[in-house]
């Protein structure tokens, strides 16, 4: 999976594109400064609450999963873990594509809270590397609260016999939750070129998580491909299928909305 999309001779071209992009955009871009200023104390408080709740529930659920461990279910559990990672990668692409391509920062509630970071990221790609753990992961933690609460509820209401039957499924769900929770952290690492722990570089090099070189393809304007940012495993097959372009064509035909119109508006701000 790691090598099919990164053909010979492509690396220098991507590096030239990224260098030109960084010279043109960055923290001093007018749009980037305006978008960064929209990060509010209220948003920060929401992120803190979600991170604390999310990781408390993860700790609670992992303890219960370990207590239910049965070696005979290992093959099903391993299959569930791979399936969870694949689904998390697809969902990361779907959310990333949707927020990149449609909507506006001016939309009530979701605009400033959720679409703003995507607009900022395209005109200041390194901004994410300056975000701390809370800002990086707060939104993903919010999205994971409901499935984590549902899992915790099952552990306290279902009988041991039922939980044993559901064990492989719950491992799949838990792996999906873990990969989804850390998607933005993995994305941040794909933009970080200094000071990464060796184990993160190892996982990137073996394409267990999104590699840095792989993600550069998305950041070639107009940012219309390679949206999956958890493992990146699905980017090449989805691109070959024309999946995102076909989806955009359908939505544009039904609504008349132009893909990435708001993204381009922010990119063109010069003062």
């Amino acid at each position: 999976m790691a090598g099919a999309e990164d053909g010979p001779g492509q690396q220098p071209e991507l590096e030239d594109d990224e260098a030109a992009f960084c010279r043109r955009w960055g923290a001093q871009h007018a749009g980037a400064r305006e978008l960064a200023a929209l990060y509010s104390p209220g948003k920060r408080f929401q992120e803190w609450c979600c991170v604390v709740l999310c990781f408390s529930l993860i700790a609670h659920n992992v303890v219960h999963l370990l207590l239910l461990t049965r070696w005979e279910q290992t093959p099903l559990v391993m299959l569930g873990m791979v399936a969870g990672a694949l689904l998390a990668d697809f969902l990361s692409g779907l959310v990333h594509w949707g927020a990149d391509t449609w909507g506006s920062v001016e939309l009530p509630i979701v605009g400033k809270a959720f679409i703003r970071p995507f607009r900022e990221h395209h005109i200041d790609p390194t901004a994410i590397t300056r975000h701390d753990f809370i800002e990086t992961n707060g939104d993903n933690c919010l999205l994971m609260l409901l499935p984590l609460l549902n899992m915790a509820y099952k552990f306290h209401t279902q009988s041991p016999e039922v939980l044993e039957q559901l064990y492989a499924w719950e491992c799949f769900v838990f792996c999906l939750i873990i990969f989804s929770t850390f998607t933005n952290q993995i994305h941040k690492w794909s933009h970080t070129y200094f000071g990464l722990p060796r184990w993160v570089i190892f996982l990137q090099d073996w394409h267990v998580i999104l590699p840095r070189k792989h993600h550069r393809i998305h950041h070639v304007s107009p940012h219309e491909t390679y949206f999956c940012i958890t493992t990146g495993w699905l980017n090449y097959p989805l691109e070959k299928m024309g999946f995102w372009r076909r989806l955009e064509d359908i939505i544009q035909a039904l609504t008349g909305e132009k893909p990435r119109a708001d993204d381009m508006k922010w990119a063109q701000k010069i003062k």
Side-chain angles (χ1 to χ4, degrees), residues 166-213:
L166 292 172
Y167 186 72
W169 169 259
E170 294 303 331
C171 286
F172 158 73
V173 172
F174 188 73
C175 188
L176 170 60
I177 289 170
I178 292 297
F179 270 97
S180 298
T181 299
F182 284 100
T183 287
N184 238 18
Q185 186 65 50
I186 293 168
H187 182 204
K188 176 180 177 177
W189 287 331
S190 76
H191 284 278
T192 304
Y193 285 85
F194 303 99
L196 281 177
R198 288 183 181 180
W199 64 270
V200 172
I201 297 172
F202 175 84
L203 292 176
Q204 290 177 333
D205 288 345
W206 284 89
H207 211 147
V208 177
I209 60 175
L210 183 69
R212 290 170 288 185
K213 183 174 69 172

Short mmCIF file of all heavy atoms in Angstrom, two decimals, residues 166-213:
data_model
loop_
_atom_site.label_atom_id
_atom_site.label_comp_id
_atom_site.label_asym_id
_atom_site.label_seq_id
_atom_site.Cartn_x
_atom_site.Cartn_y
_atom_site.Cartn_z
N LEU A 166 -20.13 -10.74 21.95
CA LEU A 166 -19.94 -9.47 21.26
C LEU A 166 -18.48 -9.02 21.22
O LEU A 166 -18.18 -7.96 20.66
CB LEU A 166 -20.77 -8.37 21.95
CG LEU A 166 -22.29 -8.47 21.86
CD1 LEU A 166 -22.93 -7.42 22.75
CD2 LEU A 166 -22.77 -8.30 20.41
N TYR A 167 -17.59 -9.81 21.81
CA TYR A 167 -16.22 -9.33 22.05
C TYR A 167 -15.49 -8.90 20.77
O TYR A 167 -14.90 -7.82 20.73
CB TYR A 167 -15.41 -10.42 22.76
CG TYR A 167 -14.03 -9.94 23.16
CD1 TYR A 167 -13.87 -9.04 24.20
CD2 TYR A 167 -12.90 -10.39 22.48
CE1 TYR A 167 -12.61 -8.60 24.58
CE2 TYR A 167 -11.62 -9.95 22.85
CZ TYR A 167 -11.50 -9.05 23.89
OH TYR A 167 -10.25 -8.59 24.25
N ALA A 168 -15.53 -9.71 19.72
CA ALA A 168 -14.83 -9.36 18.48
C ALA A 168 -15.40 -8.07 17.89
O ALA A 168 -14.66 -7.21 17.39
CB ALA A 168 -14.94 -10.51 17.48
N TRP A 169 -16.72 -7.94 17.94
CA TRP A 169 -17.37 -6.72 17.42
C TRP A 169 -16.94 -5.50 18.22
O TRP A 169 -16.63 -4.45 17.65
CB TRP A 169 -18.88 -6.87 17.45
CG TRP A 169 -19.61 -5.58 17.17
CD1 TRP A 169 -20.19 -4.76 18.08
CD2 TRP A 169 -19.78 -4.96 15.90
NE1 TRP A 169 -20.74 -3.65 17.47
CE2 TRP A 169 -20.50 -3.75 16.11
CE3 TRP A 169 -19.42 -5.30 14.60
CZ2 TRP A 169 -20.85 -2.88 15.09
CZ3 TRP A 169 -19.78 -4.43 13.57
CH2 TRP A 169 -20.48 -3.25 13.81
N GLU A 170 -16.92 -5.63 19.54
CA GLU A 170 -16.54 -4.49 20.38
C GLU A 170 -15.06 -4.12 20.17
O GLU A 170 -14.71 -2.94 20.24
CB GLU A 170 -16.80 -4.81 21.85
CG GLU A 170 -18.27 -4.99 22.21
CD GLU A 170 -19.13 -3.78 21.87
OE1 GLU A 170 -18.62 -2.64 21.88
OE2 GLU A 170 -20.33 -3.98 21.59
N CYS A 171 -14.22 -5.11 19.87
CA CYS A 171 -12.81 -4.80 19.56
C CYS A 171 -12.71 -4.02 18.25
O CYS A 171 -11.90 -3.11 18.13
CB CYS A 171 -12.00 -6.09 19.48
SG CYS A 171 -11.67 -6.84 21.08
N PHE A 172 -13.54 -4.40 17.26
CA PHE A 172 -13.60 -3.65 16.01
C PHE A 172 -14.02 -2.20 16.26
O PHE A 172 -13.39 -1.27 15.78
CB PHE A 172 -14.57 -4.33 15.05
CG PHE A 172 -15.12 -3.42 13.98
CD1 PHE A 172 -14.32 -3.00 12.92
CD2 PHE A 172 -16.44 -2.97 14.04
CE1 PHE A 172 -14.83 -2.14 11.94
CE2 PHE A 172 -16.95 -2.13 13.07
CZ PHE A 172 -16.14 -1.71 12.02
N VAL A 173 -15.08 -2.04 17.04
CA VAL A 173 -15.60 -0.69 17.34
C VAL A 173 -14.55 0.11 18.10
O VAL A 173 -14.32 1.29 17.81
CB VAL A 173 -16.92 -0.77 18.14
CG1 VAL A 173 -17.34 0.62 18.62
CG2 VAL A 173 -18.01 -1.40 17.29
N PHE A 174 -13.88 -0.53 19.06
CA PHE A 174 -12.88 0.17 19.85
C PHE A 174 -11.69 0.60 18.98
O PHE A 174 -11.18 1.72 19.13
CB PHE A 174 -12.40 -0.72 21.00
CG PHE A 174 -11.51 0.00 21.99
CD1 PHE A 174 -12.05 0.92 22.87
CD2 PHE A 174 -10.15 -0.24 22.04
CE1 PHE A 174 -11.25 1.60 23.78
CE2 PHE A 174 -9.34 0.42 22.94
CZ PHE A 174 -9.89 1.34 23.82
N CYS A 175 -11.26 -0.26 18.08
CA CYS A 175 -10.15 0.10 17.18
C CYS A 175 -10.57 1.26 16.27
O CYS A 175 -9.79 2.18 16.03
CB CYS A 175 -9.75 -1.11 16.35
SG CYS A 175 -8.25 -0.84 15.38
N LEU A 176 -11.80 1.21 15.77
CA LEU A 176 -12.33 2.32 14.97
C LEU A 176 -12.30 3.62 15.77
O LEU A 176 -11.89 4.67 15.27
CB LEU A 176 -13.76 1.99 14.54
CG LEU A 176 -14.58 3.11 13.89
CD1 LEU A 176 -13.92 3.62 12.62
CD2 LEU A 176 -16.01 2.61 13.60
N ILE A 177 -12.71 3.55 17.03
CA ILE A 177 -12.73 4.74 17.90
C ILE A 177 -11.31 5.26 18.13
O ILE A 177 -11.07 6.47 18.05
CB ILE A 177 -13.41 4.40 19.24
CG1 ILE A 177 -14.91 4.21 19.04
CG2 ILE A 177 -13.15 5.50 20.27
CD1 ILE A 177 -15.63 3.64 20.25
N ILE A 178 -10.36 4.35 18.41
CA ILE A 178 -8.99 4.78 18.70
C ILE A 178 -8.36 5.46 17.49
O ILE A 178 -7.78 6.55 17.60
CB ILE A 178 -8.13 3.58 19.15
CG1 ILE A 178 -8.59 3.09 20.52
CG2 ILE A 178 -6.64 3.95 19.19
CD1 ILE A 178 -8.43 4.12 21.64
N PHE A 179 -8.48 4.84 16.32
CA PHE A 179 -7.92 5.45 15.11
C PHE A 179 -8.60 6.78 14.81
O PHE A 179 -7.95 7.74 14.39
CB PHE A 179 -8.04 4.50 13.92
CG PHE A 179 -6.86 3.59 13.75
CD1 PHE A 179 -6.89 2.29 14.26
CD2 PHE A 179 -5.71 4.01 13.11
CE1 PHE A 179 -5.80 1.45 14.11
CE2 PHE A 179 -4.62 3.18 12.95
CZ PHE A 179 -4.66 1.89 13.46
N SER A 180 -9.91 6.85 15.01
CA SER A 180 -10.64 8.10 14.74
C SER A 180 -10.26 9.18 15.74
O SER A 180 -10.10 10.35 15.37
CB SER A 180 -12.15 7.84 14.81
OG SER A 180 -12.55 6.92 13.82
N THR A 181 -10.10 8.81 17.01
CA THR A 181 -9.70 9.77 18.03
C THR A 181 -8.37 10.41 17.70
O THR A 181 -8.19 11.63 17.86
CB THR A 181 -9.61 9.09 19.41
OG1 THR A 181 -10.89 8.55 19.76
CG2 THR A 181 -9.17 10.07 20.48
N PHE A 182 -7.42 9.61 17.21
CA PHE A 182 -6.06 10.10 16.97
C PHE A 182 -5.82 10.55 15.52
O PHE A 182 -4.68 10.85 15.16
CB PHE A 182 -5.05 9.03 17.35
CG PHE A 182 -4.87 8.90 18.83
CD1 PHE A 182 -5.51 7.88 19.54
CD2 PHE A 182 -4.09 9.80 19.55
CE1 PHE A 182 -5.37 7.76 20.92
CE2 PHE A 182 -3.93 9.70 20.92
CZ PHE A 182 -4.57 8.68 21.61
N THR A 183 -6.88 10.64 14.72
CA THR A 183 -6.70 11.03 13.32
C THR A 183 -6.03 12.38 13.19
O THR A 183 -5.10 12.56 12.38
CB THR A 183 -8.05 11.02 12.58
OG1 THR A 183 -8.46 9.67 12.36
CG2 THR A 183 -7.95 11.73 11.24
N ASN A 184 -6.47 13.36 13.95
CA ASN A 184 -5.88 14.70 13.82
C ASN A 184 -4.45 14.74 14.35
O ASN A 184 -3.62 15.50 13.86
CB ASN A 184 -6.75 15.74 14.52
CG ASN A 184 -7.18 16.82 13.56
OD1 ASN A 184 -7.12 16.65 12.34
ND2 ASN A 184 -7.61 17.95 14.09
N GLN A 185 -4.17 13.92 15.38
CA GLN A 185 -2.80 13.83 15.88
C GLN A 185 -1.89 13.22 14.81
O GLN A 185 -0.77 13.69 14.58
CB GLN A 185 -2.76 12.98 17.15
CG GLN A 185 -1.40 12.94 17.83
CD GLN A 185 -0.97 14.30 18.37
OE1 GLN A 185 -1.73 14.96 19.08
NE2 GLN A 185 0.23 14.73 18.03
N ILE A 186 -2.38 12.17 14.16
CA ILE A 186 -1.64 11.54 13.06
C ILE A 186 -1.44 12.54 11.92
O ILE A 186 -0.36 12.61 11.31
CB ILE A 186 -2.39 10.29 12.57
CG1 ILE A 186 -2.37 9.21 13.65
CG2 ILE A 186 -1.81 9.77 11.26
CD1 ILE A 186 -3.32 8.05 13.39
N HIS A 187 -2.47 13.31 11.65
CA HIS A 187 -2.39 14.35 10.62
C HIS A 187 -1.34 15.40 10.99
O HIS A 187 -0.53 15.82 10.15
CB HIS A 187 -3.77 15.00 10.47
CG HIS A 187 -3.85 16.05 9.42
ND1 HIS A 187 -4.80 17.05 9.45
CD2 HIS A 187 -3.11 16.28 8.32
CE1 HIS A 187 -4.63 17.84 8.41
NE2 HIS A 187 -3.62 17.39 7.70
N LYS A 188 -1.32 15.79 12.25
CA LYS A 188 -0.31 16.75 12.72
C LYS A 188 1.09 16.19 12.52
O LYS A 188 2.00 16.90 12.05
CB LYS A 188 -0.56 17.07 14.19
CG LYS A 188 0.50 17.98 14.82
CD LYS A 188 0.19 18.25 16.29
CE LYS A 188 1.28 19.09 16.95
NZ LYS A 188 0.95 19.41 18.36
N TRP A 189 1.29 14.91 12.86
CA TRP A 189 2.61 14.30 12.68
C TRP A 189 3.02 14.29 11.21
O TRP A 189 4.21 14.38 10.90
CB TRP A 189 2.59 12.87 13.22
CG TRP A 189 2.57 12.78 14.70
CD1 TRP A 189 3.09 13.69 15.60
CD2 TRP A 189 2.02 11.72 15.50
NE1 TRP A 189 2.88 13.25 16.89
CE2 TRP A 189 2.23 12.06 16.86
CE3 TRP A 189 1.36 10.52 15.20
CZ2 TRP A 189 1.81 11.23 17.90
CZ3 TRP A 189 0.94 9.70 16.23
CH2 TRP A 189 1.17 10.06 17.56
N SER A 190 2.05 14.20 10.29
CA SER A 190 2.39 14.17 8.86
C SER A 190 2.90 15.52 8.37
O SER A 190 3.44 15.60 7.26
CB SER A 190 1.18 13.72 8.04
OG SER A 190 0.22 14.76 7.91
N HIS A 191 2.71 16.56 9.18
CA HIS A 191 3.23 17.90 8.84
C HIS A 191 4.44 18.28 9.69
O HIS A 191 4.95 19.39 9.56
CB HIS A 191 2.13 18.95 9.05
CG HIS A 191 1.10 18.97 7.97
ND1 HIS A 191 1.29 19.63 6.76
CD2 HIS A 191 -0.12 18.39 7.89
CE1 HIS A 191 0.22 19.46 6.01
NE2 HIS A 191 -0.66 18.71 6.67
N THR A 192 4.87 17.37 10.56
CA THR A 192 5.96 17.67 11.48
C THR A 192 7.25 17.01 10.98
O THR A 192 7.30 15.79 10.83
CB THR A 192 5.63 17.15 12.89
OG1 THR A 192 4.38 17.71 13.31
CG2 THR A 192 6.71 17.53 13.89
N TYR A 193 8.27 17.83 10.74
CA TYR A 193 9.51 17.31 10.14
C TYR A 193 10.69 17.32 11.11
O TYR A 193 11.78 16.91 10.74
CB TYR A 193 9.84 18.10 8.88
CG TYR A 193 8.94 17.71 7.73
CD1 TYR A 193 7.68 18.31 7.57
CD2 TYR A 193 9.30 16.71 6.83
CE1 TYR A 193 6.84 17.94 6.55
CE2 TYR A 193 8.47 16.33 5.81
CZ TYR A 193 7.24 16.94 5.67
OH TYR A 193 6.38 16.56 4.65
N PHE A 194 10.46 17.80 12.32
CA PHE A 194 11.54 17.83 13.31
C PHE A 194 10.99 17.38 14.66
O PHE A 194 9.90 17.77 15.06
CB PHE A 194 12.14 19.24 13.44
CG PHE A 194 12.65 19.79 12.13
CD1 PHE A 194 11.87 20.68 11.40
CD2 PHE A 194 13.89 19.42 11.64
CE1 PHE A 194 12.33 21.18 10.19
CE2 PHE A 194 14.36 19.92 10.44
CZ PHE A 194 13.57 20.81 9.70
N GLY A 195 11.77 16.58 15.37
CA GLY A 195 11.44 16.24 16.75
C GLY A 195 10.41 15.15 16.94
O GLY A 195 9.92 14.97 18.06
N LEU A 196 10.04 14.43 15.87
CA LEU A 196 9.08 13.34 16.04
C LEU A 196 9.74 12.16 16.77
O LEU A 196 10.90 11.84 16.51
CB LEU A 196 8.57 12.85 14.68
CG LEU A 196 7.49 13.67 13.99
CD1 LEU A 196 7.18 13.07 12.63
CD2 LEU A 196 6.23 13.76 14.83
N PRO A 197 9.01 11.51 17.67
CA PRO A 197 9.56 10.30 18.30
C PRO A 197 9.87 9.24 17.24
O PRO A 197 9.21 9.16 16.21
CB PRO A 197 8.41 9.84 19.22
CG PRO A 197 7.55 11.04 19.42
CD PRO A 197 7.67 11.85 18.17
N ARG A 198 10.86 8.41 17.54
CA ARG A 198 11.26 7.38 16.57
C ARG A 198 10.13 6.41 16.26
O ARG A 198 10.01 5.92 15.13
CB ARG A 198 12.48 6.62 17.11
CG ARG A 198 13.76 7.44 17.09
CD ARG A 198 14.94 6.61 17.57
NE ARG A 198 16.17 7.39 17.57
CZ ARG A 198 17.36 6.92 17.95
NH1 ARG A 198 17.46 5.66 18.34
NH2 ARG A 198 18.42 7.68 17.93
N TRP A 199 9.30 6.11 17.26
CA TRP A 199 8.23 5.15 17.02
C TRP A 199 7.18 5.71 16.06
O TRP A 199 6.57 4.96 15.28
CB TRP A 199 7.58 4.70 18.34
CG TRP A 199 6.89 5.77 19.12
CD1 TRP A 199 7.43 6.58 20.08
CD2 TRP A 199 5.50 6.15 19.02
NE1 TRP A 199 6.49 7.43 20.59
CE2 TRP A 199 5.30 7.20 19.95
CE3 TRP A 199 4.44 5.71 18.25
CZ2 TRP A 199 4.05 7.81 20.12
CZ3 TRP A 199 3.19 6.32 18.41
CH2 TRP A 199 3.01 7.35 19.35
N VAL A 200 6.98 7.04 16.07
CA VAL A 200 6.06 7.66 15.12
C VAL A 200 6.63 7.57 13.70
O VAL A 200 5.92 7.22 12.74
CB VAL A 200 5.79 9.13 15.49
CG1 VAL A 200 4.98 9.83 14.40
CG2 VAL A 200 5.05 9.21 16.83
N ILE A 201 7.91 7.87 13.55
CA ILE A 201 8.57 7.78 12.24
C ILE A 201 8.52 6.34 11.73
O ILE A 201 8.28 6.10 10.53
CB ILE A 201 10.02 8.30 12.33
CG1 ILE A 201 10.03 9.79 12.70
CG2 ILE A 201 10.76 8.07 11.01
CD1 ILE A 201 11.41 10.34 13.00
N PHE A 202 8.73 5.38 12.63
CA PHE A 202 8.65 3.97 12.26
C PHE A 202 7.26 3.64 11.70
O PHE A 202 7.13 3.00 10.65
CB PHE A 202 8.97 3.10 13.47
CG PHE A 202 8.80 1.63 13.24
CD1 PHE A 202 9.83 0.89 12.65
CD2 PHE A 202 7.63 0.98 13.61
CE1 PHE A 202 9.67 -0.48 12.42
CE2 PHE A 202 7.46 -0.38 13.38
CZ PHE A 202 8.49 -1.11 12.79
N LEU A 203 6.22 4.07 12.40
CA LEU A 203 4.85 3.79 11.95
C LEU A 203 4.55 4.49 10.62
O LEU A 203 3.85 3.93 9.76
CB LEU A 203 3.84 4.24 13.01
CG LEU A 203 3.85 3.45 14.32
CD1 LEU A 203 2.86 4.06 15.31
CD2 LEU A 203 3.51 1.97 14.09
N GLN A 204 5.07 5.69 10.43
CA GLN A 204 4.90 6.39 9.15
C GLN A 204 5.64 5.67 8.03
O GLN A 204 5.09 5.48 6.94
CB GLN A 204 5.40 7.83 9.26
CG GLN A 204 4.55 8.73 10.12
CD GLN A 204 5.15 10.13 10.24
OE1 GLN A 204 6.36 10.31 10.15
NE2 GLN A 204 4.29 11.11 10.49
N ASP A 205 6.88 5.28 8.29
CA ASP A 205 7.69 4.63 7.26
C ASP A 205 7.09 3.30 6.81
O ASP A 205 7.21 2.92 5.64
CB ASP A 205 9.11 4.39 7.78
CG ASP A 205 9.92 5.68 7.89
OD1 ASP A 205 9.49 6.71 7.32
OD2 ASP A 205 10.98 5.67 8.55
N TRP A 206 6.43 2.60 7.74
CA TRP A 206 5.79 1.34 7.40
C TRP A 206 4.33 1.51 7.02
O TRP A 206 3.60 0.54 6.84
CB TRP A 206 5.94 0.35 8.56
CG TRP A 206 7.33 -0.20 8.63
CD1 TRP A 206 8.40 0.31 9.31
CD2 TRP A 206 7.81 -1.36 7.95
NE1 TRP A 206 9.53 -0.45 9.10
CE2 TRP A 206 9.20 -1.50 8.27
CE3 TRP A 206 7.23 -2.31 7.10
CZ2 TRP A 206 9.98 -2.53 7.76
CZ3 TRP A 206 8.02 -3.34 6.60
CH2 TRP A 206 9.37 -3.44 6.93
N HIS A 207 3.91 2.75 6.88
CA HIS A 207 2.54 3.11 6.43
C HIS A 207 1.46 2.49 7.32
O HIS A 207 0.38 2.14 6.85
CB HIS A 207 2.33 2.70 4.97
CG HIS A 207 1.36 3.60 4.26
ND1 HIS A 207 1.46 3.90 2.93
CD2 HIS A 207 0.28 4.29 4.71
CE1 HIS A 207 0.49 4.71 2.58
NE2 HIS A 207 -0.24 4.96 3.65
N VAL A 208 1.76 2.38 8.62
CA VAL A 208 0.72 2.00 9.58
C VAL A 208 -0.16 3.22 9.85
O VAL A 208 -1.38 3.11 10.02
CB VAL A 208 1.35 1.49 10.89
CG1 VAL A 208 0.27 1.16 11.92
CG2 VAL A 208 2.21 0.26 10.61
N ILE A 209 0.46 4.41 9.89
CA ILE A 209 -0.25 5.67 9.97
C ILE A 209 0.17 6.54 8.78
O ILE A 209 1.11 6.20 8.06
CB ILE A 209 0.01 6.42 11.30
CG1 ILE A 209 1.50 6.73 11.46
CG2 ILE A 209 -0.51 5.59 12.47
CD1 ILE A 209 1.82 7.57 12.70
N LEU A 210 -0.51 7.65 8.58
CA LEU A 210 -0.31 8.50 7.41
C LEU A 210 1.14 8.97 7.29
O LEU A 210 1.65 9.67 8.17
CB LEU A 210 -1.23 9.72 7.52
CG LEU A 210 -1.22 10.71 6.36
CD1 LEU A 210 -1.86 10.09 5.11
CD2 LEU A 210 -1.97 11.99 6.75
N PRO A 211 1.85 8.61 6.20
CA PRO A 211 3.23 9.07 6.02
C PRO A 211 3.29 10.53 5.57
O PRO A 211 2.35 11.04 4.94
CB PRO A 211 3.78 8.16 4.90
CG PRO A 211 2.78 7.05 4.77
CD PRO A 211 1.47 7.62 5.20
N ARG A 212 4.39 11.19 5.85
CA ARG A 212 4.54 12.60 5.50
C ARG A 212 4.55 12.82 3.99
O ARG A 212 3.85 13.68 3.48
CB ARG A 212 5.82 13.16 6.14
CG ARG A 212 5.72 13.28 7.65
CD ARG A 212 7.05 13.59 8.31
NE ARG A 212 7.94 12.42 8.27
CZ ARG A 212 9.13 12.40 8.87
NH1 ARG A 212 9.57 13.45 9.54
NH2 ARG A 212 9.89 11.32 8.82
N LYS A 213 5.36 12.03 3.27
CA LYS A 213 5.45 12.19 1.82
C LYS A 213 4.10 11.95 1.15
O LYS A 213 3.71 12.65 0.22
CB LYS A 213 6.51 11.24 1.26
CG LYS A 213 6.73 11.37 -0.24
CD LYS A 213 7.88 10.51 -0.73
CE LYS A 213 7.55 9.04 -0.66
NZ LYS A 213 8.59 8.21 -1.31
#
